[in-house]
Amino acid sequence: MTSGTLVAQITDYANRADPYPLYAELRGTPVRREDDGSYLVSTYYEVRSLANDPRLSNDTSHRPSGYARPGQPAPETGLPPSFIFTDPPVHDRLRDTINRPFGPPHSPRFLDGLRGELAKTVTELLDAFEGKDQVDIVEDFSYPLPVTAICRVLGVPREDEPRFHVWADALASSIDPHSGDDGGPEKAQRARQEMGAYLTDLIETKRRHPGPGILSALAPAMTPADLEATAVLLLVAGHETTVNAITNTTLTLLRHPDILQRFQKDPDLAVPIIEEVLRYEPPVQFVPWTTALADIDIAGTTIPKGSPVWLMLAAANRDPRRFKDPDRFDPDRKDNEHLGFYTGIHYCFGAPLARIELHLAVPELFRRVKFSGLLEDPPPYRANAVLRGPRHLPVAIEGLTA
């Protein structure tokens, strides 16, 4: 296989169900130049180093013309890029502002205060399994829960939640470097325009009549454009990745019945199981939008200034130099400092919320539902190579406990 075909194979839908052999081959050259001039970094220590290197920019406007610029809004939207696609000091200012109503140290009880409502949502979703002999874990469980969560975080009225399903799918596609193959950019632009119009009205309402959710808290502190861009980011980052994390955890446990039996007898295994899934099947496979701001020497290779750089998180999470027997799912793994939520200043903003959802959803799912098995393995996957996860996960069930 030549270097020029490796990205094509990694992003090829035919390899979506199991990209890990490709990642193993990729690690043979830790910093690999593709024929288009981009660089793929696939080993743990190199990925971690570059993710913390200020010479690597998340601002895709630095990319040479002709390269995909994931996350850059179309000019017609009138919105600035979300803070994930900015560098310090703009990034630090925006992230600090947004974090104040969201979590510690300024609002330590905000996320914890959502637990009761999210636990109720989990119960309601599982109650709906009653009388069924098969369900789709994605459509019936792991998809609606994060929508409810992010709408509660933003302060979106419950009756408007269904509209966010459509927007989230379209916006998530915009960070896939090959989304243009299926009209992804056009869909994302329409979704962003529609969501922008909706949020303009909602934010103005929150300014006049503050209510629950961070939009009310942020309205006086941010420009309307920055706040809209932030809300769009949180919808995708706080929703799509958690859908994948819950679904991947379910799929992984059903593929490992011995570990599932242990988990059903010992619910305290939830923490190591979830963290191991974040290493073993991370919801974000790679970060394809960074650019070198200077020549960077790493692993015997010089990445020239201006080069697009892909940080291959899923490949790094299975680097045998860092993790013993990395292709084995092992909740007993020690020192599991995975990159499932990235690292550095761009560490996943929504990680605390995602962990709350996972720890509410996964134990209750496997406590209440008696599974007969997977109906499709591998299941059908989403087209998106970056936010990788099953599009559907049909399973057979035998019953539901109270």
Side-chain angles (χ1 to χ4, degrees), residues 2 18 56 58 67 90 96 102 118-119 141 174 191 193 202-203 224 237 251 266 298 335 368-369 376 391:
T2 66
D18 186 14
L56 204 66
N58 265 36
Y67 284 98
V90 174
D96 180 67
F102 184 76
L118 295 181
F141 189 67
S174 69
Q193 288 173 328
L202 181 61
I203 290 168
L251 176 60
D266 181 8
I298 186 166
D335 188 26
R368 294 193 60 190
V369 180
E376 291 185 63
R391 179 66 188 90

Side-chain angles (χ1 to χ4, degrees), residues 170-203:
L171 290 167
S173 73
S174 69
I175 68 170
D176 187 329
H178 290 270
S179 61
D181 297 343
D182 62 355
E186 292 77 15
K187 295 176 185 177
Q189 180 179 330
R190 287 195 301 272
R192 191 155 184 162
Q193 288 173 328
E194 292 172 7
M195 187 179 179
Y198 171 87
L199 289 171
T200 296
D201 293 338
L202 181 61
I203 290 168

Side-chain angles (χ1 to χ4, degrees), residues 60 69-82 85 171 174 184-193 228-229 232:
T60 55
R69 299 185 178 188
Q72 285 292 312
E76 293 83 356
T77 66
L79 295 179
S82 302
F85 297 110
L171 290 167
S174 69
E186 292 77 15
K187 295 176 185 177
Q189 180 179 330
R190 287 195 301 272
R192 191 155 184 162
Q193 288 173 328
E228 286 180 31
V232 170

Side-chain angles (χ1 to χ4, degrees), residues 239-249 283 382 387-390:
H239 171 248
E240 290 290 329
T241 54
T242 310
V243 174
N244 289 346
I246 295 172
T247 309
N248 288 342
T249 302
R382 299 180 184 275
L387 302 178
R388 175 182 169 270

Side-chain angles (χ1 to χ4, degrees), residues 58-243:
N58 265 36
D59 183 345
T60 55
S61 67
H62 290 299
R63 290 204 158 183
S65 60
Y67 284 98
R69 299 185 178 188
Q72 285 292 312
E76 293 83 356
T77 66
L79 295 179
S82 302
F83 70 86
I84 194 175
F85 297 110
T86 62
D87 299 327
V90 174
H91 167 272
D92 298 349
R93 173 179 58 81
L94 290 173
R95 182 162 178 144
D96 180 67
T97 300
I98 298 159
N99 193 58
R100 287 177 180 271
F102 184 76
H106 307 287
S107 305
R109 295 181 180 85
F110 175 73
L111 290 180
D112 193 61
L114 297 174
R115 288 180 184 272
E117 185 170 357
L118 295 181
K120 180 181 177 183
T121 300
V122 169
T123 298
E124 292 171 350
L125 292 171
L126 292 177
D127 285 347
F129 288 12
E130 186 67 50
K132 297 181 179 180
D133 59 7
Q134 65 180 63
V135 295
D136 180 347
I137 292 297
V138 176
E139 291 295 328
D140 298 328
F141 189 67
S142 64
Y143 202 90
L145 176 61
V147 167
T148 297
I150 199 60
C151 286
R152 296 285 73 75
V153 166
L154 294 174
V156 171
R158 182 180 292 271
E159 60 270 20
D160 291 340
E161 288 180 13
R163 303 169 71 178
F164 280 68
H165 284 279
V166 178
W167 291 333
D169 275 343
L171 290 167
S173 73
S174 69
I175 68 170
D176 187 329
H178 290 270
S179 61
D181 297 343
D182 62 355
E186 292 77 15
K187 295 176 185 177
Q189 180 179 330
R190 287 195 301 272
R192 191 155 184 162
Q193 288 173 328
E194 292 172 7
M195 187 179 179
Y198 171 87
L199 289 171
T200 296
D201 293 338
L202 181 61
I203 290 168
E204 183 56 33
T205 298
K206 298 291 187 181
R207 289 184 192 277
R208 297 196 309 267
H209 307 289
I214 68 172
L215 290 182
S216 288
L218 292 174
M222 301 180 71
T223 67
D226 279 337
L227 187 48
E228 286 180 31
T230 295
V232 170
L233 170 67
L234 294 180
L235 171 67
V236 177
H239 171 248
E240 290 290 329
T241 54
T242 310
V243 174

